[in-house]
């Protein structure tokens, strides 16, 4: 199947990028379109996303502007810009053509919003120790929608100020939207374009991602729903869940048939449909629908699997999390747990093979997922000492539940009271516990908590 890619660039770059695309000779169709400002790029994305397999976006900031907004369709995105080696070659070519250039007076505009120097000299010094790319990536990940909308104006005003104060001779520009304004002020500018081979490599990377996403969209998903409280788990309530699920599927044009299985209801669907009803793992429309229709709270678990049996197991695990913490959870084909959906505390607990995990969970009378969450919370904090209030906050649970977890960890021999600390406020001293997961366990795990 011939894939369709849309390359979104600034108006300035549309013509040169179109020329580069014409030289790629790839087994796909690439359409080049433009946007005016970062504020409008999401609208351009949405106008093509429904009929496109993936996007090439000119620049990390433009990509971040799209990703900071919710979309009906989430397509694979790869950003393209000149790489570090290309910037180095551009500076070298400038020096070859004019050996009298002062590197302290050549400004790289994309470095202006980032802490540190923005001159060519500062860039070349950082280049020697290879810290610029990760520094830029970390800064880009921290951007918000509001900060993205002000970047171009901030960079433009700073460059004009430096030019008027005779603090620079030239701009090596990567914010192409500000080029016309810079040139209107008489500021010498150079915009180094990425090479054809670099764009070809990125386009091939995007095509590979598209194929993987296409295969994944057809993976089986089991939806597993039950009353959250065991006292509500009656045959009558299970029947009500069944009727509501059937109604929900009809309203959303989902070709799903729910089934009553023991103490819960389940249904089979695909990852593509799951992404639709959860807005790409962010909310749970099904749980919201059930909340409006039923007089009791439901726990919803979604299990994605490489096969049907794996999807069933993952759905059971996800529903158990929903019973314990509320709302809805997803466990994907890699074993990663995502949730609670629709909560500000939503997170991803990445699954990795951990030696002795089952043994530790069993001796503490806790689920393996709970053990992973505890370890993830200490990993994120950078300390194995924790209070019950801290554990409750990091896990998004009640203090009562955190106390139970700490007590089980103590009984299992992997936690003990380290000390108590007093506060200025009146009340009991706060107990600080130290966790003693064995060394093999700690070195085998690489858990990451991603806050959304």
């Amino acid at each position: 199947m011939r894939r369709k890619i849309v390359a979104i660039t600034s108006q300035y770059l549309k013509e040169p990028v179109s020329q580069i695309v014409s030289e790629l000779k790839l087994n796909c169709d690439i359409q080049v379109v433009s946007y005016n400002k970062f504020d409008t790029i999401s609208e351009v994305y949405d106008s093509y996303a429904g009929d496109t397999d993936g996007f090439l976006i000119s620049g990390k900031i433009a990509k971040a502007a799209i990703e900071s907004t919710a979309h009906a369709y989430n397509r694979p995105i790869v950003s393209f810009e000149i790489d570090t080696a290309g910037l180095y070659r551009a500076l070298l070519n400038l020096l070859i053509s004019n050996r009298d250039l002062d590197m302290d007076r050549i400004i790289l505009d994309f470095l202006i919003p980032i802490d540190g120097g923005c001159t060519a000299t500062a860039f070349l010094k950082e280049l020697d120790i290879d810290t610029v790319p990760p520094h830029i990536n970390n800064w880009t990940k921290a951007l918000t929608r509001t900060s993205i909308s002000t970047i171009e104006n901030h960079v433009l005003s700073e460059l004009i100020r430096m030019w008027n104060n005779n603090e620079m001779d030239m701009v090596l520009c990567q914010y192409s939207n500000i080029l016309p304004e810079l040139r209107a002020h008489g500021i010498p500018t150079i915009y180094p374009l990425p090479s054809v081979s670099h764009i070809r490599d990125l386009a091939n990377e995007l095509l590979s991602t598209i194929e993987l996403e296409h295969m994944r969209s057809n993976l089986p998903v089991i939806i597993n729903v039950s009353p959250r409280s065991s006292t509500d788990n009656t045959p009558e309530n299970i029947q009500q869940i069944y009727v509501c699920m059937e109604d929900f599927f009809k309203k959303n044009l989902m070709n799903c048939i729910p089934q009553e299985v023991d103490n819960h209801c389940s249904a089979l669907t695909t990852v593509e449909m799951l992404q639709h009803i959860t807005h790409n793992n962010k909310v749970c429309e099904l749980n919201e629908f059930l909340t409006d229709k039923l007089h009791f709270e439901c726990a919803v678990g979604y299990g994605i699997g490489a096969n049907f049996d794996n999807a069933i197991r993952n759905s059971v695990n996800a529903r158990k999390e929903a019973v314990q913490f509320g709302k809805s959870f997803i466990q994907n084909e890699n074993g990663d747990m995502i949730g609670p959906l629709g909560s500000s505390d939503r997170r991803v607990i990445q699954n990795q093979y951990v030696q002795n995990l089952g043994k530790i969970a069993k001796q503490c009378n806790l689920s393996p997922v709970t053990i992973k969450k505890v370890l993830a919370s200490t990993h994120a904090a950078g300390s194995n000492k924790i209070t019950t209030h801290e554990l409750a906050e990091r896990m998004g649970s009640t203090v009562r539940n955190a106390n139970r977890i700490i007590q089980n960890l103590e009984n299992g021999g992997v936690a003990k009271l380290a000390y108590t600390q007093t506060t200025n406020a009146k009340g009991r001293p706060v107990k600080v516990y130290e966790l003693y997961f064995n060394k093999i366990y700690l070195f085998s795990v690489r858990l990451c908590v991603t806050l959304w």
Side-chain angles (χ1 to χ4, degrees):
M1 179 178 178
R2 193 173 178 87
R3 298 298 180 187
K4 181 179 178 181
I5 293 173
V6 171
I8 304 180
T9 77
S10 67
Q11 292 180 333
Y12 170 82
L13 288 179
K14 186 176 181 180
E15 185 176 337
V17 168
S18 298
Q19 179 59 41
I20 292 174
V21 165
S22 68
E23 300 176 34
L24 294 180
K25 309 251 185 311
L26 296 173
N27 186 29
C28 64
D29 298 320
I30 303 180
Q31 180 181 2
V32 182
V33 299
S34 63
Y35 70 96
N36 293 322
K37 291 187 175 182
F38 290 145
D39 284 344
T40 63
I41 192 170
S42 284
E43 297 173 10
V44 177
Y45 170 93
D46 287 332
S47 66
Y48 290 94
D51 191 36
T52 299
D53 296 302
F55 288 86
L56 288 169
I57 309 294
S58 60
K60 290 184 174 65
I61 310 300
K63 179 174 179 283
I66 292 173
E67 293 176 338
S68 67
T69 305
H71 302 283
Y73 299 95
N74 272 39
R75 304 302 189 201
I77 300 175
V78 171
S79 65
F80 67 91
E81 60 274 305
I82 192 167
D83 56 8
T84 305
L87 286 170
Y88 183 82
R89 284 193 296 271
L91 291 171
L92 182 61
N93 289 335
L94 280 174
L95 280 175
I96 291 173
S97 62
N98 186 352
R99 294 182 180 275
D100 294 328
L101 283 176
D102 184 351
M103 291 289 104
D104 285 326
R105 293 179 63 82
I106 297 178
I107 305 300
L108 280 65
D109 65 345
F110 65 91
L111 292 178
I112 288 176
I114 305 173
D115 293 335
C118 60
T119 66
T121 299
F123 173 76
L124 292 172
K125 285 182 178 179
E126 292 293 322
L127 182 65
D128 291 338
I129 56 175
D130 200 28
T131 59
V132 168
H135 191 42
I136 293 173
N137 288 337
N138 291 336
W139 171 74
T140 304
K141 290 177 182 177
L143 290 174
T144 64
R145 187 176 180 182
T146 302
S147 61
I148 288 171
S149 66
T150 62
I151 286 175
E152 287 177 326
N153 288 336
H154 167 64
V155 170
L156 177 61
S157 61
E158 181 63 12
L159 288 172
I160 292 174
R161 182 197 66 78
M162 295 173 73
W163 177 254
N164 290 337
N165 291 340
N166 193 30
E167 296 175 11
M168 69 171 185
D169 295 329
M170 180 182 296
V171 178
L172 197 66
C173 188
Q174 286 293 278
Y175 290 103
S176 55
N177 276 328
I178 69 174
L179 275 168
E181 192 70 24
L182 291 176
R183 289 171 178 170
H185 281 78
I187 302 174
T189 59
I190 292 178
Y191 190 97
L193 289 165
S195 65
V196 173
S197 61
H198 184 55
I199 298 294
R200 183 183 292 111
D201 289 343
L202 293 175
N204 281 322
E205 175 189 329
L206 177 60
L207 287 171
S208 297
T209 303
I210 289 170
E211 295 305 320
L212 290 173
E213 287 288 319
H214 180 69
M215 289 189 289
R216 185 175 185 271
S217 68
N218 293 310
L219 288 178
V221 172
I222 296 295
I223 306 173
N224 195 314
V225 185
S226 73
R228 186 181 177 194
S229 172
S230 58
T231 58
D232 291 324
N233 208 321
T234 64
E236 294 77 16
N237 286 347
I238 297 298
Q239 175 63 24
Q240 288 185 51
I241 292 175
Y242 173 89
V243 172
C244 287
M245 288 178 67
E246 194 173 41
D247 189 23
F248 176 82
F249 294 148
K250 287 179 181 178
K251 290 182 183 298
N252 285 274
L253 303 178
M254 295 173 65
N255 188 23
C256 297
I257 300 176
Q259 294 182 333
E260 295 182 49
V261 184
D262 297 329
N263 61 346
H264 67 274
C265 290
S266 66
L268 172 66
T269 186
T270 63
V271 169
E272 184 176 24
M273 190 55 67
L274 169 65
Q275 299 304 311
H276 172 67
I277 64 174
T278 64
H279 298 189
N280 301 297
N281 304 341
K282 293 181 176 63
V283 299
C284 181
E285 288 187 358
L286 173 58
N287 206 341
E288 293 172 0
F289 185 84
L290 294 173
T291 300
D292 289 339
K293 299 291 184 180
L294 301 173
H295 67 277
F296 54 89
E297 186 179 357
C298 286
V300 180
Y302 299 95
I304 305 173
N307 53 54
F308 185 71
D309 290 339
N310 185 226
I312 292 176
R313 287 193 295 271
N314 288 344
S315 73
V316 172
N317 291 337
R319 180 168 61 86
K320 287 179 179 177
E321 288 298 298
V323 167
Q324 184 172 2
F325 296 102
K327 295 187 178 289
S328 309
F329 282 79
I330 299 171
Q331 187 164 43
N332 65 21
E333 69 277 19
N334 299 319
D336 303 337
M337 190 67 74
I338 306 167
L341 303 185
S343 168
S344 60
D345 194 49
R346 186 189 59 149
R347 63 189 71 192
V348 178
I349 304 295
Q350 293 183 343
N351 178 61
Q352 299 287 342
Y353 173 73
V354 182
Q355 190 171 355
N356 293 335
L357 172 61
K359 180 180 178 181
I360 293 172
K362 186 175 181 180
Q363 72 188 40
C364 295
N365 196 27
L366 294 168
S367 73
V369 172
T370 298
I371 296 293
K372 290 177 187 178
K373 285 187 174 183
V374 173
L375 191 56
S377 71
T378 58
H379 174 82
S383 171
N384 67 333
K385 292 184 176 65
I386 196 167
T387 68
T388 53
H389 281 81
E390 289 171 340
L391 183 62
E393 183 179 352
R394 294 172 193 171
M395 294 184 66
S397 71
T398 62
V399 174
R400 181 179 179 181
N401 188 52
N403 271 316
R404 181 187 66 82
I405 292 172
I406 290 289
Q407 185 63 54
N408 283 25
L409 293 173
E410 273 194 292
N411 294 340
V414 295
K416 74 173 185 178
L417 180 64
Y419 54 88
T420 58
Q421 59 184 21
T422 58
T423 63
N424 292 329
K426 294 181 180 180
R428 297 179 180 178
V430 176
K431 294 180 179 180
V432 180
Y433 295 88
E434 191 162 7
L435 305 181
Y436 291 94
F437 295 102
N438 64 63
K439 292 183 179 180
I440 293 177
Y441 183 82
L442 289 173
F443 285 124
S444 297
V445 70
R446 291 192 305 144
L447 290 173
C448 172
V449 178
T450 304
L451 300 179
W452 298 67

